[in-house]
Amino acid sequence: MIFLTTPPQRIVDFLIASAGIHDPRTAQALASCSSEQFVDKHGILLRSGERQKDVWVLVNGIFRTSLIDISGRDITDCLISKIGMVIAPCADLASPSMVQVEALQPSTILAIPIEIIEAMLTQDHSFALDYIKILTMAWQMHWDIKRAISQKTARERYQWFLKAYPGVIDLIPHRYIASYLGMTPITLSRVRNDNQVRLF
């Protein structure tokens, strides 16, 4: 186990309750090496082409990952709003990021140095199992949106979003949501209006 300092108990509790870490000793080891960081609205956590130095866990707020397509359009690739979710722009931590990571609301993250993660993956079997599950959940979210875009109508995509991201529709610019759902802002507005009419 790696212990640098005595961590605040609230961080240990957060890792166990919200971030998918099951062993209290593992949570204590991670917490002792981590730091809480505040990111302003529109703050850039990572730019495309940069290598991340930390693994980030969402404490509160909302982030998006984005990229520029061949036509020069800004595409929202992922939205991260669930507390405890890992912000994972790249599966290979050593590779340059293909996306930019931006805060859409004032946000707090827990930053854990990559070298600590890599060391614990080789030393702590419980953490290795938790880490696999955490990454699997993150990438499953990516596949869920890809499946929604390819197999659902615009209205079904919007309804899926409302269930998958409760309350987020009222917190961030709709152009990002439209991009994420693979539709234009005009189509999103039309679908929203149609959905509201159906409720009455």
Side-chain angles (χ1 to χ4, degrees), residues 156-188:
E156 289 170 339
R157 275 176 265 164
Y158 174 68
Q159 292 176 331
W160 170 86
F161 180 84
L162 294 180
K163 292 179 181 179
Y165 294 86
V168 173
I169 191 72
D170 298 317
L171 298 175
I172 66 175
H174 290 173
R175 66 181 183 277
Y176 296 146
I177 297 173
S179 174
Y180 185 49
L181 294 177
M183 63 180 75
T184 67
I186 293 175
T187 298
L188 176 60

Side-chain angles (χ1 to χ4, degrees), residues 38-47 50 56 62-66 87 100-109 176:
F38 179 79
V39 185
D40 288 323
K41 184 176 181 179
H42 300 310
I44 304 300
L45 193 58
L46 186 72
R47 298 185 186 279
E50 293 179 344
W56 304 296
I62 304 173
F63 283 86
R64 79 169 183 132
T65 63
S66 63
I87 303 171
Q100 177 169 280
V101 183
E102 174 190 6
L104 298 183
Q105 290 278 301
S107 303
T108 304
I109 57 172
Y176 296 146

